[in-house]
Amino acid sequence: MTMTYEGSCFCGTVQISVTGEPVAQGYCHCASCRSWSAAPVNAFTLWKPESVNVVKGADSLRGYRKTEHSDRKFCSRCGGHVMTDHPGFGLVDVYAATIPALRHAPTLHVHYGESVLPMHDGLPKFRDLPGEMGGSGALCAE
């Protein structure tokens, strides 16, 4: 049975659903994610674009593209963050907090070389990105 999870922006104007299982889940420590989320780390869930659906409020969804790697989406009414398109990867990051019913099961840390919050959880900590995602594949010590 295929699961569908629902989520929304902070005020509920933009509502989304994700279907199936994420391609990957983890934590991002890059300066851009930290600045965007106003937190020391961003919990991500990566999905194939066809698994992500804007159910309501698409006209209130706005984007900000600081680099060619990320097109961040937010609600124009409340400013609540919803997701980030990663066109180079062919994936969409729906922030773990946006879909509360999904059990966040991280398997890695990315951009740990930029970390400001050491985390001792036994997961692999990539200095930048895994090699298959175009990174160096280099690991940082826990």
Side-chain angles (χ1 to χ4, degrees):
M1 183 165 142
T2 302
M3 293 293 299
T4 297
Y5 303 93
E6 297 176 351
S8 68
C9 65
F10 189 60
C11 72
T13 297
V14 177
Q15 296 178 8
I16 64 162
S17 68
V18 290
T19 304
E21 294 301 319
V23 173
Q25 298 184 62
Y27 299 108
C28 184
H29 297 264
C30 78
S32 286
C33 280
R34 291 193 329 260
S35 180
W36 177 254
S37 66
V41 65
N42 179 53
F44 67 80
T45 65
L46 296 175
W47 303 80
K48 293 181 180 177
E50 59 270 18
S51 297
V52 180
N53 184 37
V54 178
V55 177
K56 181 180 167 195
D59 56 333
S60 294
L61 200 59
R62 298 292 182 272
Y64 178 74
R65 190 173 197 158
K66 183 176 181 180
T67 72
E68 69 277 1
H69 303 293
S70 303
D71 188 8
R72 300 172 190 274
K73 307 289 185 182
F74 60 93
C75 172
S76 62
R77 182 171 177 202
C78 69
H81 302 173
V82 180
M83 65 185 115
T84 297
D85 290 329
H86 292 292
F89 300 136
L91 296 169
V92 178
D93 173 5
V94 179
Y95 311 121
T98 303
I99 40 178
L102 176 72
R103 182 181 159 273
H104 189 240
T107 59
L108 76 163
H109 293 259
V110 297
H111 298 289
Y112 198 75
E114 300 178 42
S115 180
V116 297
L117 178 67
M119 298 175 75
H120 303 284
D121 56 11
L123 297 176
K125 292 167 177 64
F126 289 89
R127 182 181 68 202
D128 44 43
L129 293 171
E132 60 270 19
M133 294 183 78
S136 70
L139 292 170
C140 294
E142 187 157 307

